[in-house]
Amino acid sequence: MKQLNIGVLVGSLRKESFNKKTARALMANAPDHLNFEVIEIGDLAHYSEDAEANVPVAWAAFREKIKSKDAFLFVTPEYNRSVPSVLKNALDVASRPWGHNLWDGKPAGIVSVSIGAIGGFGANHHLRQSLVFLNVATMPQPEAYIGNAASLFDDEGHVINDHTKEILVNYMQAYTAWVEKHVL
Amino acid sequence: MKQLNIGVLVGSLRKESFNKKTARALMANAPDHLNFEVIEIGDLAHYSEDAEANVPVAWAAFREKIKSKDAFLFVTPEYNRSVPSVLKNALDVASRPWGHNLWDGKPAGIVSVSIGAIGGFGANHHLRQSLVFLNVATMPQPEAYIGNAASLFDDEGHVINDHTKEILVNYMQAYTAWVEKHVL
Amino acid sequence: MKQLNIGVLVGSLRKESFNKKTARALMANAPDHLNFEVIEIGDLAHYSEDAEANVPVAWAAFREKIKSKDAFLFVTPEYNRSVPSVLKNALDVASRPWGHNLWDGKPAGIVSVSIGAIGGFGANHHLRQSLVFLNVATMPQPEAYIGNAASLFDDEGHVINDHTKEILVNYMQAYTAWVEKHVL
Amino acid sequence: MKQLNIGVLVGSLRKESFNKKTARALMANAPDHLNFEVIEIGDLAHYSEDAEANVPVAWAAFREKIKSKDAFLFVTPEYNRSVPSVLKNALDVASRPWGHNLWDGKPAGIVSVSIGAIGGFGANHHLRQSLVFLNVATMPQPEAYIGNAASLFDDEGHVINDHTKEILVNYMQAYTAWVEKHVL
């Protein structure tokens, strides 16, 4: 089977982040021909057009990473009913300067994760709106709103909730089919 | 008249930013008892809860500024149909740690600015959704979507379009009344 | 105390609707000087400008009701991640023809109700976006997303969940203060 | 070439609607193997679950139409920064009762049309959010926000603006490719 290179972007920088744990669980439950790489986004300076005159090293490296991937998986918390700045910035940096949208035409999936009941709905859909502009085909169903995240993992970061595990397995199955439809 | 201290947050870092010019024009057309301060947000590191253990100096200074204001005026471009990371980050930094939402209960207005026709509608309303969570009473009307921004200013940054000037004057009049209703 | 006339609009037509039950519970937990009327919206034909030439009787009656109120309380389910047509239509009918926006300048609150965990977040915020245009000052906090609605009421429609009851009481307290600030 | 059956849903009921004219222009500029049918939605009663006990004739006929199509094209105005009730209702009627989502898995495109500059951005993206839930793969780019609609057509409803004509031709080309990817 053709190998697929998937860039994983996680919207939380916290070391013990539930989003990082969710991302790991998603990767662990995916078919073998998906090659995942979690792409670092915490070191990217806030986007400003002025900086294009002297592109920061971290921006250049990040743009190369994005260019090299076939598809993307976004795992994000919600900050104040929207996308965390660190993830929004990653979208922006790889979409500029004008005419150099590196997300263009690649498929993606979104999983939002929160410790509350709502599961990051606001972040999930704000991210979808940005991806429309970036010409990313974002998988509609299954939606994935992972709520009550503080009760889903053991001390080593493994999913202990069977229903959640099933959701993640089903998600990656649908995601794989979606990516294959849009890439191959 | 009671002086009102207004914090102005601009979502663009670019030196020649149309948003900065719009912010200046808004301030120049406001009543005398509004004391404006443009608050620097470009030097704030991306929010991460881990950093609360050793709060960055720029965060601490920014939080003090926000605490000291009576109301806010947001002037923002749209990046990829949403709020630029630098502005989203400012919201996040002054809303945390939990229980320390410094925007709480203060009124605000939003002006979005773009070089295209749509005038930053996507950024404007994503920002409104975050401000609901932050308990900011955001002025509903007049909405302000400033489009085609590249044709509105002369070389010194003054508004040359009469219709735009009228929009900005009316906006600040309504904004002042809105702030007074919620602050005094 | 000055009496306040509150129009209540419920986004579900179903006879045993959890939204109707929630609306009743909200009204039962409000201060005495709020006079509520649940305004019928199920009989309003879909808005079309052509019908203004011969205004339907139900539209005319509904517009009179809206005109007579000081403030509004919206209680709505979510249909397909947005506002049910019956409620969206009510907004539209009382906002037209151009220049006759009957919601203009009146305050409101939104409570969204669903049988799932997410509590109608999508409907809640889509409704907020429309209310910005209609110049309705919509209360930001407390937000009210009432999830798992099927387990909250007894056979006679009374709230049996103490936490929910507390949420509704607190909501009406904040709502009353919000309305008084914008009306009196 | 395999014929594709496309259901066209127009969010305006007005006889001289700019949306109807835009829909006609889109259909006129599409490849021959797309068979279009404009599906009537103005006669559908507001959705209520109670009515499922005795399904309205118009609902049943509409549901059959939706079931028979391969893909959809939505052309919609914006009412109060969101989707008109008549179109939102059509989505709801063909998505219920639970387990009978007739939009499921079919691709779609959205064109929003307004007489103002913003081109129905609010309606466009609210509709996208609903289509995520309905498992409709909605084309991301090209986005189509048709503004200033009152100046685009002659008395017979033909597009007189060359730039707009080009936008519509390009749109239908991309739409056809998008539909073929998701249907064939």
Side-chain angles (χ1 to χ4, degrees):
Chain A
M1 260 190 180
K2 185 175 180 299
Q3 299 291 304
L4 293 167
N5 294 311
I6 312 292
V8 179
L9 291 101
V10 180
S12 170
L13 299 175
R14 198 165 64 92
K15 199 158 165 291
E16 297 293 327
S17 156
F18 298 118
N19 281 269
K20 289 180 181 169
K21 290 172 185 169
T22 303
R24 281 196 289 271
L26 287 161
M27 292 187 278
N29 285 290
D32 285 345
H33 63 296
L34 271 62
N35 301 329
F36 293 102
E37 182 183 8
V38 179
I39 301 178
E40 180 61 43
I41 60 176
D43 57 348
L44 302 173
H46 291 300
Y47 187 78
S48 166
E49 200 179 308
D50 291 345
E52 297 288 1
N54 192 6
V55 175
V57 174
W59 285 15
F62 175 69
R63 286 168 173 174
E64 284 307 310
K65 287 276 186 212
I66 298 301
K67 212 186 291 188
S68 72
K69 301 302 177 194
D70 298 311
F72 302 99
L73 179 61
F74 296 95
V75 185
T76 187
E78 178 173 295
Y79 287 3
N80 297 317
R81 303 287 180 229
S82 188
V83 178
S85 82
V86 72
L87 180 54
K88 180 56 178 27
N89 193 47
L91 290 183
D92 295 346
V93 168
S95 73
R96 300 283 182 92
W98 282 107
H100 295 78
N101 169 17
L102 305 174
W103 312 96
D104 189 25
K106 298 180 179 178
I110 299 174
V111 175
S112 54
V113 181
S114 78
I115 54 174
I118 296 179
F121 187 99
N124 194 306
H125 283 272
H126 279 193
L127 182 51
R128 287 178 187 273
Q129 182 164 303
S130 289
L131 293 176
V132 168
F133 189 71
L134 296 169
N135 197 27
V136 169
T138 308
M139 182 168 73
Q141 288 289 346
E143 299 168 279
Y145 309 107
I146 310 294
N148 305 309
S151 68
L152 302 178
F153 302 92
D154 66 17
D155 285 354
E156 287 160 3
H158 299 113
V159 180
I160 53 175
N161 181 296
D162 282 344
H163 179 57
T164 302
K165 206 178 291 182
E166 198 187 315
I167 287 175
L168 301 182
V169 169
N170 289 344
Y171 187 88
M172 288 315 294
Q173 212 159 11
Y175 174 78
T176 304
W178 177 261
V179 169
E180 286 177 339
K181 182 191 295 247
H182 287 86
V183 167
L184 304 181
Chain B
M1 261 188 178
K2 186 177 179 296
Q3 299 291 304
L4 293 167
N5 294 310
I6 313 291
V8 179
L9 291 100
V10 180
S12 169
L13 299 175
R14 198 165 64 92
K15 199 158 165 293
E16 296 294 328
S17 156
F18 298 118
N19 281 269
K20 289 180 181 169
K21 290 172 185 169
T22 302
R24 280 196 290 270
L26 287 161
M27 292 186 279
N29 285 289
D32 284 346
H33 64 296
L34 271 62
N35 301 328
F36 293 102
E37 182 183 8
V38 179
I39 302 178
E40 180 62 44
I41 59 176
D43 57 348
L44 302 174
H46 292 299
Y47 187 79
S48 166
E49 200 179 308
D50 291 346
E52 297 288 2
N54 192 6
V55 174
V57 174
W59 285 14
F62 175 69
R63 286 168 172 173
E64 283 308 310
K65 288 276 186 211
I66 298 301
K67 212 186 292 189
S68 73
K69 301 303 176 194
D70 298 312
F72 301 98
L73 179 62
F74 296 95
V75 185
T76 187
E78 177 173 295
Y79 287 3
N80 297 316
R81 303 287 180 228
S82 188
V83 179
S85 83
V86 71
L87 179 54
K88 181 54 177 30
N89 192 48
L91 291 184
D92 296 346
V93 168
S95 72
R96 300 281 183 92
W98 282 107
H100 295 77
N101 170 18
L102 304 174
W103 312 95
D104 189 25
K106 297 180 179 176
I110 299 174
V111 175
S112 55
V113 180
S114 79
I115 54 174
I118 296 179
F121 186 99
N124 195 306
H125 283 272
H126 279 192
L127 182 51
R128 287 179 187 272
Q129 182 164 304
S130 290
L131 294 176
V132 168
F133 189 71
L134 295 169
N135 197 28
V136 169
T138 308
M139 182 169 71
Q141 286 290 346
E143 299 168 279
Y145 309 107
I146 310 294
N148 305 308
S151 66
L152 302 177
F153 302 92
D154 66 16
D155 285 354
E156 286 160 4
H158 299 113
V159 180
I160 53 176
N161 181 297
D162 282 344
H163 180 57
T164 302
K165 206 177 292 182
E166 198 188 314
I167 286 174
L168 301 182
V169 169
N170 288 344
Y171 187 89
M172 288 315 294
Q173 211 159 10
Y175 174 80
T176 303
W178 178 261
V179 169
E180 286 177 340
K181 182 191 296 247
H182 287 86
V183 166
L184 304 181
Chain C
M1 261 192 176
K2 185 175 179 295
Q3 298 292 304
L4 293 167
N5 294 310
I6 312 291
V8 179
L9 291 101
V10 181
S12 168
L13 299 175
R14 197 165 63 93
K15 199 157 165 293
E16 296 294 327
S17 156
F18 297 117
N19 281 270
K20 289 180 181 169
K21 289 172 185 168
T22 303
R24 279 196 290 269
L26 287 161
M27 293 186 279
N29 285 291
D32 285 346
H33 63 297
L34 271 61
N35 301 328
F36 293 102
E37 182 182 8
V38 179
I39 301 178
E40 180 62 44
I41 60 176
D43 57 347
L44 302 174
H46 291 299
Y47 187 77
S48 166
E49 199 180 309
D50 291 346
E52 296 289 1
N54 192 6
V55 174
V57 174
W59 285 15
F62 174 69
R63 286 168 172 174
E64 284 307 311
K65 288 276 187 213
I66 298 302
K67 211 184 294 187
S68 72
K69 301 303 176 193
D70 297 311
F72 302 99
L73 180 61
F74 296 95
V75 185
T76 186
E78 177 173 295
Y79 288 3
N80 297 317
R81 302 287 179 228
S82 187
V83 179
S85 82
V86 71
L87 179 54
K88 181 55 176 33
N89 193 47
L91 291 183
D92 295 347
V93 168
S95 72
R96 300 283 182 92
W98 283 105
H100 294 78
N101 170 18
L102 305 174
W103 312 95
D104 188 25
K106 298 181 179 176
I110 299 175
V111 175
S112 54
V113 181
S114 78
I115 54 175
I118 297 178
F121 187 99
N124 195 306
H125 283 272
H126 279 192
L127 183 50
R128 286 179 188 272
Q129 182 165 302
S130 290
L131 293 176
V132 168
F133 189 72
L134 296 169
N135 197 26
V136 168
T138 307
M139 181 169 72
Q141 287 289 347
E143 300 169 280
Y145 309 106
I146 310 294
N148 305 309
S151 68
L152 301 178
F153 302 93
D154 67 16
D155 285 354
E156 286 160 3
H158 299 112
V159 179
I160 53 175
N161 182 297
D162 281 345
H163 180 57
T164 303
K165 205 178 292 183
E166 199 187 313
I167 287 175
L168 301 182
V169 169
N170 289 344
Y171 187 89
M172 288 316 294
Q173 213 158 8
Y175 174 80
T176 302
W178 178 261
V179 168
E180 286 176 340
K181 182 192 296 247
H182 287 86
V183 167
L184 302 183
Chain D
M1 260 190 176
K2 185 174 180 298
Q3 298 292 305
L4 293 168
N5 293 310
I6 312 292
V8 179
L9 290 101
V10 180
S12 169
L13 299 175
R14 198 165 63 92
K15 199 157 165 293
E16 297 293 327
S17 155
F18 297 117
N19 281 269
K20 289 180 181 169
K21 289 172 184 168
T22 303
R24 280 196 290 270
L26 287 161
M27 293 187 278
N29 285 290
D32 285 346
H33 64 295
L34 269 63
N35 301 327
F36 293 102
E37 182 182 8
V38 179
I39 301 178
E40 179 63 43
I41 60 176
D43 58 347
L44 302 174
H46 291 300
Y47 187 78
S48 167
E49 200 180 309
D50 291 345
E52 297 288 2
N54 191 6
V55 174
V57 173
W59 285 14
F62 174 69
R63 286 168 171 174
E64 284 307 310
K65 288 277 187 211
I66 298 302
K67 211 185 293 189
S68 72
K69 301 303 176 194
D70 298 312
F72 301 99
L73 179 61
F74 296 95
V75 185
T76 187
E78 177 172 295
Y79 287 3
N80 297 317
R81 302 287 179 228
S82 187
V83 179
S85 82
V86 71
L87 180 54
K88 180 55 176 32
N89 192 48
L91 291 184
D92 295 346
V93 168
S95 73
R96 302 282 183 92
W98 282 106
H100 294 78
N101 169 16
L102 304 174
W103 311 95
D104 188 26
K106 297 180 178 177
I110 298 175
V111 175
S112 54
V113 181
S114 78
I115 54 174
I118 296 179
F121 187 99
N124 194 307
H125 283 272
H126 279 192
L127 183 50
R128 287 179 187 273
Q129 183 165 302
S130 290
L131 293 176
V132 168
F133 188 72
L134 295 169
N135 198 27
V136 168
T138 307
M139 182 167 74
Q141 287 288 347
E143 300 168 279
Y145 308 107
I146 311 294
N148 305 310
S151 67
L152 302 177
F153 302 93
D154 67 16
D155 285 355
E156 285 160 2
H158 298 113
V159 179
I160 52 175
N161 181 296
D162 281 346
H163 179 57
T164 303
K165 205 178 291 182
E166 199 187 314
I167 287 175
L168 301 182
V169 168
N170 289 344
Y171 187 89
M172 288 315 295
Q173 213 158 8
Y175 174 79
T176 303
W178 178 261
V179 169
E180 286 176 339
K181 182 191 295 246
H182 287 87
V183 166
L184 302 182

